[in-house]
Amino acid sequence: MHEVGLLAVTAMGLTMANSKHGHMHILKQLREFKENISILLVSTVFIILTASLTRDSLLAIFDWPLLLSILGILFFVRPISVQTSLLGSPLSAQERALISWIAPRGIVAMTVTGFFAQEIAELGIEDEERVLPITLGLVVTSVALHGLTIKPLAKRLGLTKVKNPWEKA
């Protein structure tokens, strides 16, 4: 069964994380490796998904209805969905506000869009060729806006001095 490898790796990770024998240096190396491989894989997904886009399809992002849709998603849809998902959580109002602003930025949206693009085309949906460029526009806009505003917003909300839970006291 091909899923056994995933189960074995998960069991090993749980065992190492709960071990009392001080494997912290190994966990640190694994965490660094995971971060590096994640960046590589996410970058690869973006390259593969955007390779089929033409210049005209990318320029189509910059018409007013699409720009307004992107802004609506960033300023209304995402914050409302994140706030709804955080109902009952122990997070403070400031933490909820920050998470609402920097919420999911795109790899899942890009992957799902890429996966369903063919199905959308087969259903005969009008303007189906604009779905991937719109999603890319949303991702690029949100990453740029969030990247430029996260530090000032975190400072304003009083959330800049957070201790890393992985560091020893």
Side-chain angles (χ1 to χ4, degrees):
M1 293 176 31
H2 64 280
E3 293 93 2
V4 173
L6 180 60
L7 180 62
V9 169
T10 303
M12 183 188 79
L14 288 170
T15 302
M16 287 181 68
N18 293 306
S19 174
K20 297 178 184 175
H21 300 292
H23 294 107
M24 292 307 290
H25 67 284
I26 294 172
L27 290 176
K28 183 180 177 190
Q29 290 173 341
L30 285 173
R31 195 173 306 109
E32 288 175 10
F33 174 74
K34 179 199 69 88
E35 290 172 6
N36 291 334
I37 199 74
S38 294
I39 291 170
L40 179 65
L41 291 173
V42 168
S43 300
T44 303
V45 167
F46 276 105
I47 291 168
I48 290 169
L49 290 174
T50 58
S52 64
L53 296 176
T54 65
R55 182 175 181 223
D56 291 337
S57 65
L58 288 173
L59 291 175
I61 296 170
F62 298 105
D63 66 350
W64 283 109
L66 294 181
L67 287 174
L68 290 175
S69 297
I70 289 171
L71 292 175
I73 291 169
L74 288 174
F75 290 99
F76 298 107
V77 176
R78 278 188 182 170
I80 290 170
S81 66
V82 171
Q83 288 295 326
T84 303
S85 70
L86 292 174
L87 286 175
S89 76
L91 297 174
S92 69
Q94 292 86 356
E95 291 168 330
R96 290 173 190 239
L98 184 66
I99 292 170
S100 291
W101 178 237
I102 63 165
R105 287 190 294 266
I107 188 60
V108 174
M110 286 295 294
T111 306
V112 170
T113 301
F115 182 75
F116 287 110
Q118 183 64 34
E119 283 78 8
I120 291 171
E122 290 173 4
L123 290 173
I125 295 176
E126 190 175 324
D127 291 336
E128 53 81 19
E129 72 278 353
R130 297 175 79 182
V131 173
L132 191 58
I134 291 168
T135 308
L136 180 64
L138 175 63
V139 171
V140 169
T141 304
S142 64
V143 168
L145 281 174
H146 297 157
L148 293 171
T149 60
I150 188 168
K151 191 172 182 177
L153 180 60
K155 281 182 180 180
R156 187 173 188 159
L157 294 172
L159 298 173
T160 55
K161 295 187 180 189
V162 177
K163 184 181 178 218
N164 183 349
W166 298 105
E167 291 180 4
K168 290 184 179 179

